[in-house]
Amino acid sequence: MQRDLFEEEHDLFRETVREFLAREVVPHHDRWEKDGIVPREVWKKAGEVGMFGFGVPEEFGGAGIKDFRYNAVIVEEIIRVGASGLGFSLHNDVMAPYFVDLTNDEQKARWLPGFASGELITAVAMTEPGAGSDLQGVRTTAVREGDHYVLNGSKTFITNGINSDLVVTVAKTDPAAGARGISLLVVERGMEGFTRGRNLDKIGMHAQDTAELSFEGVRVPAANLLGDQEGQGFFQLMGNLPQERLSIAVAAVAAAETVLKATIDYCRNRQAFGRSIGTFQNTRFVLAELDTEVEIARHYLDKCILALNAGRLTVVDAAKAKWWTTELQTKVIDRCLQLHGGYGYMMEYPVAKAWIDSRVQTIYGGTTEIMKEIIGRSFGF
Ligand SMILES: Cc1cc2nc3c(=O)[nH]c(=O)nc-3n(C[C@H](O)[C@H](O)[C@H](O)COP(=O)(O)OP(=O)(O)OC[C@H]3O[C@@H](n4cnc5c(N)ncnc54)[C@H](O)[C@@H]3O)c2cc1C
């Protein structure tokens, strides 16, 4: 079925993104995988072609357009070339709402120009060694002392953890107040007591810096609190998680489509028993099933993107999109790898990299199980 999500301006932007990736990313990505990190200059170059901060108001260097279809174009193109090291979707899709919607004028002036230019790289630090799914279990504390908060705690698995300049950090400002005692503080590169630990050794996404962060008596100015008062952090996070989950779903469907297309080509050309492996009924049935499921996922997802643009995407809609598409992605890629035979296990075939890169998708941004909890709770049992 025809995909009718995009308009001409999105298609033009897609060309810009494609050209940028072909020039500045694809030739270097293998090296970045070995280095475990993407150089910061790439962020600045992406900023120059307008890849960051669509929703950032024009006066602060953005395009002033809130249209998630542009975000989707970037994610889709990055996925199609397998550039899993770029933490752009975290910056654009996850962090932009914090910096655009939750900041006051003074904070906007300080942070948004750098956000849009790619000079200030962002991250969000929720997860701790002892608390992931259970956000309310975080132990990092921020105690108010005059016009500062004193921050203590440690975080783990933080995407853009090494490269980031601004880290939205989840801390308890009132440990006795449960969800109402959590606040978001922006910790800046160079603040005394803020240190980065290891760049973690992951199964896949080797070019993406994922790190541990530590805060020991960090004096964070009260002016770096997001929102007009303490204790709003949990609700701010809950408000932004649907967009994060939708971004992950966009990546999931794009990855499934890309791998499926490559596998159909592979099956057309690979010979066994004197014929193309695509002529075996099993191959055709597997591909037919996967193609059907991916297309159905695509249409639900595109509807979710329009719902987000219209301010109607619910937490439950986004949870459905996240778990369904990411579970589908891992299934599709695994079956496609099988159809590649031994070549599927070789890193020179894109399906192999897609397989290791995809595994995390059902985990971060809220696990499949947590998504099902969210949906299940909506029945009101
Ligand atoms: C590569 C990568 C990048 C990440 N990037 C970031 C980042 O940028 N910022 C950040 O803050 N975090 C990040 N994370 C952390 C990620 O969001 C968490 O790993 C995830 O939310 C799960 O938390 P956990 O690892 O503590 O697992 P746990 O919460 O310990 O869960 C373990 C298992 O128990 C299950 N489980 C837990 N609670 C329930 C329940 N109530 N019902 C049923 N099953 C349950 C889970 O589904 C899972 O299968 C990243 C993780 C990875 C791997």
Side-chain angles (χ1 to χ4, degrees):
M1 284 168 77
Q2 182 76 24
R3 196 178 177 200
D4 54 10
L5 180 70
F6 297 110
E7 291 167 36
E8 199 186 339
E9 56 266 32
H10 305 104
D11 297 337
L12 287 172
F13 180 62
R14 189 184 292 278
E15 287 308 313
T16 304
V17 176
R18 241 179 224 176
E19 196 270 327
F20 173 82
L21 294 172
R23 182 168 34 92
E24 301 291 350
V25 174
V26 173
H28 312 292
H29 203 273
D30 279 354
R31 183 163 41 83
W32 300 340
E33 298 253 340
K34 293 188 180 77
D35 295 345
I37 196 158
V38 171
R40 291 176 62 89
E41 300 81 68
V42 181
W43 285 76
K44 274 198 240 166
K45 288 179 183 167
E48 282 160 18
V49 297
M51 280 173 66
F52 298 133
F54 260 89
V56 170
E58 281 176 289
E59 59 188 301
F60 298 116
I65 304 169
K66 275 197 187 169
D67 177 352
F68 199 75
R69 289 176 293 179
Y70 287 105
N71 301 49
V73 164
I74 298 175
V75 172
E76 288 175 5
E77 291 306 313
I78 287 176
I79 292 291
R80 287 196 172 122
V81 296
S84 57
L86 298 177
F88 293 1
S89 66
L90 185 94
H91 189 70
N92 267 337
D93 309 344
V94 181
M95 302 317 299
Y98 292 94
F99 284 95
V100 175
D101 301 334
L102 300 178
T103 44
N104 57 36
D105 289 347
E106 182 274 325
Q107 292 170 331
K108 283 184 175 45
R110 261 198 293 154
W111 295 326
L112 289 183
F115 184 99
S117 70
E119 280 157 305
L120 290 180
I121 299 171
T122 57
V124 61
M126 301 182 244
T127 307
E128 302 185 354
S133 303
D134 177 16
L135 250 184
Q136 291 192 46
V138 299
R139 295 172 67 176
T140 296
T141 55
V143 178
R144 182 82 186 236
E145 278 185 13
D147 55 2
H148 283 78
Y149 286 95
V150 179
L151 185 68
N152 281 291
S154 57
K155 300 287 179 179
T156 193
F157 304 151
I158 306 307
T159 303
N160 296 340
I162 302 290
N163 269 336
S164 50
D165 303 286
L166 302 176
V167 182
V168 172
T169 306
V170 179
K172 286 206 163 149
T173 37
D174 183 355
R180 294 183 187 285
I182 292 176
S183 302
L184 304 183
L185 290 172
V186 178
V187 177
E188 301 182 45
R189 174 182 288 281
M191 283 183 171
E192 205 172 322
F194 168 32
T195 52
R196 303 172 203 250
R198 292 180 299 139
N199 189 357
L200 298 165
D201 186 13
K202 305 185 291 296
I203 293 179
M205 299 202 310
H206 293 301
Q208 193 164 105
D209 52 314
T210 310
E212 295 169 333
L213 305 179
S214 157
F215 310 99
E216 281 179 56
V218 183
R219 290 180 65 78
V220 183
N224 282 18
L225 177 75
L226 289 183
D228 52 10
Q229 58 190 33
E230 278 178 27
Q232 297 174 332
F234 187 76
F235 308 99
Q236 292 164 331
L237 290 165
M238 292 304 119
N240 286 336
L241 280 169
Q243 179 161 318
E244 169 170 359
R245 290 172 182 153
L246 195 60
S247 169
I248 294 170
V250 170
V253 174
E257 285 174 345
T258 305
V259 169
L260 191 54
K261 187 166 173 293
T263 305
I264 293 169
D265 286 343
Y266 183 84
C267 293
R268 188 172 292 122
N269 297 322
R270 176 75 180 166
Q271 300 277 314
F273 298 94
R275 52 201 268 212
S276 139
I277 61 168
T279 63
F280 298 129
Q281 189 186 50
N282 176 67
T283 306
R284 282 186 280 130
F285 275 20
V286 169
L287 291 173
E289 285 171 20
L290 299 180
D291 193 40
T292 306
E293 288 180 84
V294 171
E295 180 150 16
I296 290 168
R298 156 65 58 217
H299 292 290
Y300 178 74
L301 178 62
D302 283 358
K303 220 167 153 34
C304 285
I305 292 173
L306 292 178
L308 181 83
N309 275 356
R312 284 189 282 103
L313 186 79
T314 67
V315 172
V316 171
D317 298 333
K320 289 176 182 172
K322 204 269 173 184
W323 88 260
W324 176 262
T325 60
T326 56
E327 292 289 341
L328 180 63
Q329 174 190 8
T330 54
K331 180 175 89 174
V332 167
I333 295 175
D334 191 68
R335 302 259 165 97
C336 286
L337 190 150
Q338 182 73 16
L339 289 174
H340 278 72
Y343 294 97
Y345 203 64
M346 299 298 136
M347 287 306 289
E348 69 206 73
Y349 280 78
V351 69
K353 181 168 179 302
W355 192 72
I356 54 173
D357 284 348
S358 69
R359 187 59 190 87
V360 71
Q361 285 268 96
T362 61
I363 297 170
Y364 61 14
T367 64
T368 293
E369 294 75 23
I370 295 298
M371 296 305 99
K372 291 180 183 173
E373 275 297 322
I374 290 170
I375 300 161
R377 276 202 299 268
S378 73
F379 305 137
F381 296 139

